[in-house]
């Protein structure tokens, strides 16, 4: 018997030719889009000797972000979740407090408050925007006031680049003395009532995760026009150190500062915010025009109170008309090397919140069942988008 050597065993067996679509590069949902200035600003930051969350880079990024959004005060932090944690903390959320939020969102919108002992209550979305329904909020606030159980905080959330109806929501909250936080992690570059995302809330949180319209490779920001809240947040982000030559603490805080390197990247990226919004909106329009004749497809509407950044192009699939449901289409596209994302699973359907009270939920459930987010990176080529469009049309024909 002839024994194969270990070298022979390790040699790969010949493989049959792979179909062309398998050889094509994967198309990602929302990859970072570099400006070309990131290496230069990183080198400058390294040369300066500033790496930690201190020095000129974080302050420069905060100033640029304030100018881009119109907020009076900005604090650069380690993540969008860190920004939300600080927002809940400075508003003194504690055990037994109620925090209201839309059910159609990501868990970070409420997780920090729950970790502080608050009880979440979830409200449905409105079909015209997929964000918190102001009419539903108005009815619930009126009822809660009559029963003496008003929430401590309402969280409005920007979804897929579309701002919540912040002017209406802020007016409602102010009328009942309820604080308002805007989770604008997905909203940067969008507008509402002529203002930037988050403006009008007492505090707004942003994310610069790798998939966002502007990225620092991570990181986030807390923004507000209230100097007192922001001074408190800045102290908490730096371990709540009291002024002293030694370590002095009257309370506990966090290590939430954004590093100088992340801030330098964010600064370079921020200069292209307007271009990135224009590119993503153009990608949305091209999808819409190329697929408008396909039965069973409807795209996320643009709310009448603002302009979406179209951070992600989101659509709904009606299975009977299209021939597949959203999850089957997702799996088919994945087999073609095309990354998509299901719409958010509502918070009231999440196991961790199975006992949380909710109001409505049918809209959020329908968005989850039928929603799919398509590749939307601002650096997406026409050829890559054509590949996605062809795959969707082929699936509909199948």
């Amino acid at each position: 018997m002839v024994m194969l050597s270990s070298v022979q065993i390790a040699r790969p067996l010949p493989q049959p030719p792979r179909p062309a679509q398998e050889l094509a590069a994967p198309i990602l949902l929302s990859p970072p889009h570099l400006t070309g200035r990131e290496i230069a600003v990183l080198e400058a930051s390294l040369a300066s000797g500033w790496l930690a969350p201190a020095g000129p880079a974080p302050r420069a990024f905060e100033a640029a972000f304030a100018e881009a959004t119109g907020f009076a005060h900005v604090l650069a932090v380690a993540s969008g979740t860190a920004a939300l944690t600080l927002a809940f903390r400075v508003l003194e959320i504690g055990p037994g407090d109620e925090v209201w939020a839309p059910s159609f969102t990501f868990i970070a919108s409420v997780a920090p408050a729950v970790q502080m002992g608050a009880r979440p209550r979830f409200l449905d979305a409105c079909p015209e925007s997929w964000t918190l329904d102001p009419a539903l909020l108005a009815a619930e606030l009126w009822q809660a006031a009559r029963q003496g159980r008003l929430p401590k905080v309402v969280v409005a959330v920007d979804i897929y680049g579309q701002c919540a109806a912040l002017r209406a929501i802020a007016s409602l909250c102010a009328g009942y003395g309820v604080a308002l936080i805007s989770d604008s992690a997905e909203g940067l570059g969008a507008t509402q009532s002529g203002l930037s995302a988050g403006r009008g809330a007492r505090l707004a949180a942003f994310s610069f995760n790798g998939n966002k319209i502007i990225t620092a490779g991570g990181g986030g920001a807390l923004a507000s026009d209230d100097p007192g809240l922001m001074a408190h947040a800045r102290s908490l982000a730096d371990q709540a150190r009291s002024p002293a030559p030694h370590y002095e603490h009257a309370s506990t805080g966090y290590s939430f500062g954004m590093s100088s390197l992340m801030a330098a990247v964010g600064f370079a990226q921020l200069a292209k915010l307007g271009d990135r919004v224009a590119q993503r909106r153009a990608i949305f329009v091209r999808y819409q025009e190329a697929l408008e004749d396909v039965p069973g497809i409807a795209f996320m509407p643009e709310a009448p109170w603002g302009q979406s950044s179209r951070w992600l192009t989101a659509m709904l699939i009606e299975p009977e008309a299209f021939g597949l449901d959203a999850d089957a289409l997702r799996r088919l596209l994945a087999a073609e090397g095309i990354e998509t994302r299901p719409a958010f699973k509502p918070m009231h359907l999440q196991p961790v919140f199975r006992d949380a009270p909710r109001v409505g939920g049918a809209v959020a459930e329908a968005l989850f069942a039928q929603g799919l987010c398509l590749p939307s990176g601002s650096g997406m080529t026409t050829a890559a988008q054509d590949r996605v469009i062809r795959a969707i049309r082929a699936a509909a024909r199948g």
Side-chain angles (χ1 to χ4, degrees):
M1 179 182 294
V2 177
M3 301 295 293
L4 294 176
S5 71
S6 60
V7 174
Q8 289 172 313
I9 292 172
R11 186 178 298 127
L13 295 174
Q15 298 293 318
R18 297 171 64 191
Q21 64 266 29
E22 290 186 18
L23 299 174
I27 300 175
L28 302 179
L29 182 73
S30 182
H33 187 183
L34 300 182
T35 68
R37 296 184 59 237
E38 287 83 1
I39 291 177
V41 296
L42 280 170
E43 287 178 344
S45 188
L46 289 168
S48 74
W50 290 103
L51 303 181
R59 303 294 86 82
F61 178 60
E62 290 170 354
F65 192 85
E67 182 176 358
T69 58
F71 282 99
H73 305 278
V74 175
L75 171 62
V77 292
S79 67
T81 303
L84 285 163
T85 299
L86 291 170
F88 288 121
R89 181 74 185 273
V90 299
L91 293 176
E92 300 181 343
I93 290 297
D97 290 334
E98 276 202 16
V99 171
W100 293 5
S103 188
F104 190 68
T105 188
F106 180 57
I107 195 169
S109 299
V110 294
V114 172
Q115 290 156 1
M116 295 172 190
R119 294 179 288 111
R121 181 180 181 87
F122 298 112
L123 281 63
D124 210 352
C126 60
E128 69 177 337
S129 70
W130 301 13
T131 63
L132 179 62
D133 187 336
L136 189 60
L137 176 64
E140 287 303 302
L141 285 171
W142 180 82
Q143 186 67 24
R146 291 185 65 195
Q147 297 173 352
R149 56 167 187 83
L150 282 167
K152 185 77 170 284
V153 169
V154 167
V155 183
V157 184
D158 300 338
I159 296 291
Y160 304 143
Q162 178 136 275
C163 293
L166 215 54
R167 175 175 288 179
I169 293 170
S171 177
L172 287 168
C173 289
Y176 289 97
V178 175
L180 173 63
I181 292 173
S182 179
D183 178 354
S184 294
E186 300 178 1
L188 182 61
T191 60
Q192 40 85 28
S193 301
L195 301 174
S196 295
R199 290 292 308 280
R202 290 198 69 190
L203 295 148
F206 296 86
S207 171
F208 310 115
N209 192 24
N211 64 0
K212 294 300 189 290
I213 195 165
I214 292 298
T215 182
L222 183 67
S224 176
D225 293 327
D226 187 317
L229 289 178
M230 291 301 292
H232 189 190
R234 192 173 291 277
S235 172
L236 288 173
D238 189 28
Q239 296 288 14
R241 291 178 58 183
S242 301
H246 54 276
Y247 292 115
E248 183 82 10
H249 303 272
S251 64
T252 60
Y254 313 89
S255 181
F256 275 173
M258 177 185 280
S259 77
S260 289
L261 299 183
M262 292 171 69
V265 172
F267 183 84
Q269 286 265 303
L270 197 57
K272 291 290 187 179
L273 176 58
D275 292 341
R276 299 298 182 250
V277 171
Q279 289 157 339
R280 296 208 185 218
R281 286 183 62 84
I283 286 167
F284 178 92
V285 169
R286 195 161 185 270
Y287 274 130
Q288 192 175 44
E289 292 178 347
L291 297 170
E292 64 183 354
D293 64 326
V294 178
I297 289 180
F299 285 89
M300 181 179 184
E302 186 163 60
W305 52 76
Q307 183 183 80
S308 172
S309 71
R310 299 299 189 188
W311 168 60
L312 291 182
T313 291
M315 66 180 186
L316 299 177
I317 301 293
E318 201 289 303
E320 290 188 8
F322 184 77
L324 295 172
D325 65 17
D327 190 62
L329 178 59
R330 178 190 64 79
R331 288 184 277 110
L332 187 151
L333 294 175
E336 299 278 340
I338 297 168
E339 182 185 19
T340 60
R341 178 193 288 176
F344 288 122
K345 181 176 182 178
M347 291 298 101
H348 71 267
L349 298 182
Q350 299 288 352
V352 67
F353 297 130
R354 60 182 175 272
D355 297 324
R358 65 179 170 94
V359 184
V363 174
E365 290 174 19
L367 294 175
F368 171 54
Q370 298 184 13
L372 192 68
C373 299
L374 302 180
S376 308
S378 49
M380 190 180 198
T381 64
T382 299
Q385 191 173 12
D386 284 343
R387 191 173 135 206
V388 179
I389 292 166
R390 285 195 301 270
I392 294 172
R393 294 187 71 91
R397 287 197 301 270

